[in-house]
Amino acid sequence: MQAKTWHLGDRHQSLVLASFADGLPEAVYWGAPLPAHEDLPSLAAASATDVTGGMVDRNAPISLCPEASQTFPGQVGLTGRDAEGRALLPRFRFKSETVSEHGLILVYTDSDLELSLVLDLSLTPGTSLFRMQTRLESAREITVDWLAAPVFQVPAHIGDMIEFSGRWCAEFQTRRLPFAPGARTRDNRTGRSDHAHFPGLIACSGQTCNTSGEAYAFHYGWSGGHRMVAEQLADGRRQVQFGHASASMKGDRSFSTAPLYATYSGAGFNGAAVRFQRHLRDHIVVGARQPRPVHYNCWEAVYFDHDLEELKAIATRAAGLGAERFVLDDGWFGLRDDDTSSLGDWGIDNRKYPDGLTPLIDHVKALGLEFGIWFEPEMINEDSDLFRSRPDWVLGPLDQVRGRQQLVLDMAREDVRAYLYDCISATLAQNDIGYIKWDHNRVLPVVDAAQTEGVYALIDRLRADFPHVEIESCASGGGRIDFGILERTQRVWLSDSNDALERQRIQHEAALFLPASVTGSHVGPRVSHTSGRTLGMTLRAWTAAQRNLGFEMDPRELSDGEIETLKAVTGWWKANRDWMMRADILRLDASDPAVVAEQQLAGDGTRFVVFAALLRASDPILQQPLRLTGLDADARYRISLINREDAPGLSRGAPLLKEKELDVSGQYLMSHGLILPWRFPETIWVIEGHRQ
């Protein structure tokens, strides 16, 4: 019997699935685009593997949901139990298919167990990103312990994986590991996507870099706890699985994974990164303000010490620097003088605001700024009226370990969500508010998918009733950044660290998935509140200008020189933001490991800007040429070093860009690269390019 085959592909990649004897489909090919005349049944037949001594008589396939009933020797795609506690061992068989222009839905059933497995696969036109989801439906009550999103095999020549970890103020740390026999499992049980467990993985070859080589990139679009398995079987085959965190699924008849987004790139990490950036910006984020406004947040200026006249003065200074949005952070509600009280009591603090927020909002609006406000809806303090009246609303036991002096509300409860909706909607309805900073400052005491689904439901309801209000996802910085939360929000606070050196690395790694338009980056105080490091305004301002620019310091403390620099960079950003916020962020492979560099290339290819930061002193004394990428080799480009005045006195030579513009071919820029003036560490060069 000939295998059933399906092909999803475009000019960037091809995915060929095959179902043998009506069993679950497996990916018999995923990689560079195949020619239109490729014979798919032949590919299916050619995928058969040999059997030799020491093996079972037939190799169980790495199907889209590997089955224990097929004697699969690794992590299976489904583990569960029936009502009597017996293990589920389904043997799924083909039932139906629904094929559309850009996707297909495959349904498989086990009639004896009365189970249906639905595999929903699509390839987004234009962005070439797969969106893949698994759903399990049962006619009987069952318990599911693990359900993987569609599972894919990693080719044998792809020997490395890049995974993501981190911590507060140091998100998006990458680690490159070799595939090895056994399973590399990351089970994130924090209840959110988390600083330490960004839900992504990149499989690549040892030679893959930003601009060349093969990469298979994955992102699980879920804001709760998740689990990742990257496994090399004893026979040498490899698989990648993503799903909800262990023991986090609830329900008794229907279970679904979040979407798994994936893509193949033959053009290095940038090839995959650009697809994630474009897809998120163009297909997931809805309702983002255009043009992206310059943001001011008062947190690092006043913390909990709110004084109306001081806040007005700060807003006036921020507007003078070029801010277009003013965000009132934590401390405006209840009796909130520190982080030990009032979460849950979302009434305005009459001690600080005897006439409500109206006087401050009127002042901010008169300056031409949008007004935004901070909430942390999912949390509760014991010192609050809400806790005293409804301690039963707390998620988990009351004797649990606290986090940031607070507990968590059970968002699976409809009455909790109704209370929070009433509080937030009343504040929005009674005040001219265009923005919410939605915070989440502790991990959860239990891992529960229903908690995340409840958060989604609350935000969805608020978005439906207040579509003009933009929402930022913040979780002590980057603790909840994923495509699931970004279906409902328009901006992420990438990190609580405003240290520009830390930001350079964090932004560089986050660009593997995130575009500039959703990534908040703020100019912090002269002395960083999170690292204690003192950095100059030039580096701080240009670092923030690489993303959605904002300020988060007391502007009254700036020197005249700092004000001049910040206003100049902000003016430059405003003049360029329309194209930059839709540009592709291309990470550059700098020869000097002390340099972090990226190239933001306009969609039509006519212009670009390069940011090249020197994080520490270089090992060689001379600056190494910086090679660019993604340009038209035959075109000529005019290159300008727009901050050449920042060259220090010890730069005593005369490199061309230090004195004038350079006209040169794209081939030269990509093959040889730019020679830049010598500079001190902890500085940045900014280069503009225009196609002639």
Side-chain angles (χ1 to χ4, degrees):
M1 178 179 177
Q2 192 176 57
K4 290 183 174 67
T5 58
W6 301 271
H7 176 238
L8 289 173
D10 57 18
R11 64 187 180 91
H12 297 294
Q13 60 184 322
S14 286
L15 172 66
V16 178
L17 302 175
S19 172
F20 300 92
D22 282 342
L24 286 174
E26 55 189 284
V28 297
Y29 178 88
W30 184 22
L34 295 170
H37 56 74
E38 192 74 67
D39 182 62
L40 301 186
S42 293
L43 296 188
S47 70
T49 55
D50 206 349
V51 175
T52 185
M55 302 177 68
V56 293
D57 295 339
R58 183 176 64 84
N59 293 316
I62 299 180
S63 70
L64 299 193
C65 187
E67 296 171 289
S69 62
Q70 301 296 314
T71 319
F72 186 72
Q75 171 68 55
V76 297
L78 166 65
T79 58
R81 293 156 283 145
D82 63 18
E84 285 72 43
R86 294 184 295 263
L88 295 175
L89 299 172
R91 296 173 181 266
F92 287 111
R93 291 296 178 263
F94 177 80
K95 179 182 179 182
S96 66
E97 64 180 271
T98 302
V99 180
S100 60
E101 182 180 2
H102 301 294
L104 68 154
I105 298 174
L106 304 176
V107 180
Y108 285 75
T109 61
D110 183 316
S111 56
D112 292 336
L113 296 178
E114 298 184 275
L115 295 174
S116 293
L117 192 72
V118 182
L119 303 164
D120 189 343
L121 315 170
S122 61
L123 180 61
T124 305
T127 58
S128 193
L129 201 66
F130 284 107
R131 184 186 189 276
M132 307 175 289
Q133 199 162 5
T134 302
R135 186 170 73 253
L136 179 69
E137 297 174 350
S138 174
R140 310 172 188 172
E141 181 179 333
I142 60 173
T143 298
V144 171
D145 299 312
W146 171 246
L147 180 64
V151 177
F152 287 90
Q153 186 168 339
V154 175
H157 67 280
I158 299 298
D160 291 352
M161 69 179 89
I162 296 175
E163 62 176 26
F164 296 84
S165 59
R167 59 170 173 80
W168 177 69
C169 286
E171 294 84 347
F172 284 93
Q173 296 180 32
T174 59
R175 184 186 300 253
R176 193 162 183 156
L177 303 171
F179 275 94
R184 173 67 175 171
T185 301
R186 294 179 64 98
D187 199 8
N188 168 25
R189 300 179 60 80
T190 67
R192 60 186 185 185
S193 32
D194 201 52
H195 304 81
H197 299 279
F198 175 75
L201 181 76
I202 301 174
C204 59
S205 70
Q207 293 72 46
T208 303
C209 60
N210 289 321
T211 56
S212 65
E214 290 187 296
Y216 294 80
F218 304 85
H219 170 67
Y220 192 57
W222 174 243
S223 308
H226 70 275
R227 186 178 185 217
M228 180 212 78
V229 180
E231 182 176 30
Q232 179 171 308
L233 304 178
D235 57 30
R237 293 179 296 164
R238 298 164 180 154
Q239 63 164 339
V240 170
Q241 296 190 12
F242 275 92
H244 286 11
S246 297
S248 71
M249 304 192 76
K250 301 294 183 182
D252 58 9
R253 300 294 175 92
S254 182
F255 305 83
S256 180
T257 70
L260 175 63
Y261 299 91
T263 195
Y264 161 82
S265 167
F269 301 132
N270 285 340
V274 164
R275 293 179 205 156
F276 280 104
Q277 293 169 22
R278 292 178 180 178
H279 188 82
L280 179 60
R281 184 189 65 222
D282 299 340
H283 296 279
I284 291 182
V285 173
V286 177
R289 198 86 71 244
Q290 300 297 337
R292 303 303 288 143
V294 178
H295 191 99
Y296 177 78
N297 184 289
C298 70
W299 175 244
E300 293 201 29
V302 300
Y303 294 105
F304 296 102
D305 188 14
H306 288 209
D307 176 85
L308 178 59
E309 295 308 314
E310 283 202 358
L311 288 168
K312 286 181 178 180
I314 288 170
T316 300
R317 290 288 187 97
L321 294 170
E324 297 163 313
R325 171 190 287 150
F326 177 93
V327 178
L328 184 66
D329 212 286
D330 193 357
W332 59 268
F333 57 92
L335 298 174
R336 182 77 163 172
D337 295 327
D338 55 34
D339 63 5
T340 66
S341 78
S342 300
L343 285 177
D345 298 343
W346 294 108
I348 296 168
D349 185 345
N350 292 323
R351 302 170 306 157
K352 299 175 183 178
Y353 300 96
D355 298 313
L357 296 176
T358 300
L360 178 59
I361 293 175
D362 286 349
H363 180 80
V364 167
K365 300 292 287 188
L367 294 168
L369 279 63
E370 179 181 71
F371 186 83
I373 197 166
W374 181 94
F375 281 97
E376 192 173 6
E378 299 151 72
M379 303 296 164
I380 184 172
N381 287 124
E382 290 165 273
D383 183 8
S384 68
D385 292 340
L386 181 63
F387 180 84
R388 285 183 281 271
S389 64
R390 295 309 305 258
D392 56 310
W393 282 7
V394 169
L395 179 69
L398 291 180
D399 62 352
Q400 66 186 263
V401 176
R402 274 56 174 159
R404 201 179 183 244
Q405 317 291 331
Q406 61 199 49
L407 298 163
V408 184
L409 289 170
D410 186 349
M411 298 299 293
R413 294 181 59 137
E414 187 174 349
D415 51 359
V416 170
R417 297 197 303 272
Y419 168 81
L420 293 172
Y421 173 84
D422 289 343
C423 292
I424 299 170
S425 63
T427 304
L428 298 179
Q430 295 165 16
N431 298 279
D432 189 355
I433 295 172
Y435 188 88
I436 292 175
K437 178 181 176 181
W438 188 297
D439 216 338
H440 184 284
N441 278 310
R442 62 155 292 176
V443 300
L444 302 189
V446 295
V447 184
D448 189 347
Q451 181 77 4
T452 302
E453 290 162 358
V455 174
Y456 285 172
L458 175 58
I459 298 177
D460 289 346
R461 185 180 177 192
L462 287 165
R463 288 286 302 154
D465 291 347
F466 300 92
H468 67 284
V469 176
E470 191 170 314
I471 300 176
E472 173 188 283
S473 174
C474 175
S476 294
R480 187 157 62 187
I481 296 176
D482 57 82
F483 283 21
I485 200 67
L486 279 162
E487 287 183 15
R488 298 159 172 88
T489 59
Q490 293 73 40
R491 193 178 194 259
V492 297
W493 182 225
L494 187 62
S495 176
D496 276 347
S497 175
N498 278 330
D499 181 310
L501 294 181
E502 290 289 340
R503 275 272 171 170
Q504 281 290 331
R505 183 201 59 77
I506 297 169
Q507 291 177 176
H508 190 69
E509 306 297 4
L512 290 167
F513 297 92
L514 301 180
S517 58
V518 305
T519 307
S521 188
H522 297 174
V523 181
R526 189 180 306 117
V527 179
S528 171
H529 292 192
T530 55
S531 71
R533 188 153 39 199
T534 301
L535 296 170
M537 177 56 80
T538 299
L539 178 63
R540 286 147 56 205
W542 282 119
T543 297
Q546 293 176 233
R547 300 296 184 265
N548 186 182
L549 174 66
F551 317 142
E552 190 157 351
M553 87 298 271
D554 190 338
R556 299 170 299 179
E557 297 176 356
L558 298 179
S559 69
D560 291 343
E562 289 173 325
I563 290 172
E564 181 181 358
T565 298
L566 183 53
K567 290 176 72 172
V569 173
T570 301
W572 179 91
W573 189 82
K574 287 182 176 180
N576 289 275
R577 63 180 161 187
D578 286 347
W579 72 267
M580 281 180 58
M581 293 298 99
R582 296 196 60 79
D584 296 332
I585 303 173
L586 305 174
R587 295 161 25 122
L588 298 179
D589 293 311
S591 301
D592 185 347
V595 171
V596 170
E598 71 179 32
Q599 175 184 329
Q600 297 191 14
L601 179 64
D604 61 6
T606 59
R607 63 192 305 179
F608 62 83
V609 60
V610 172
F611 300 92
L614 183 65
L615 304 190
R616 58 172 176 80
S618 298
D619 293 331
I621 195 168
L622 289 178
Q623 303 285 287
Q624 303 301 298
L626 181 63
R627 297 197 298 171
L628 308 189
T629 189
L631 304 178
D632 181 341
D634 296 327
R636 291 187 67 78
Y637 294 85
R638 169 152 289 191
I639 307 300
S640 304
L641 181 62
I642 66 172
N643 64 328
R644 59 168 60 106
E645 69 279 1
D646 293 333
L650 280 179
S651 172
R652 297 181 293 146
L656 189 147
L657 283 174
K658 189 176 171 183
E659 305 295 334
K660 61 181 181 179
E661 280 67 45
L662 168 67
D663 291 309
V664 69
S665 71
Q667 187 64 67
Y668 175 87
L669 293 170
M670 293 186 291
S671 296
H672 181 274
L674 294 171
I675 296 178
L676 297 168
W678 185 91
R679 40 48 188 281
F680 288 123
E682 301 182 0
T683 60
I684 188 168
W685 287 128
V686 184
I687 304 107
E688 284 187 322
H690 295 265
R691 192 169 66 195
Q692 302 299 291

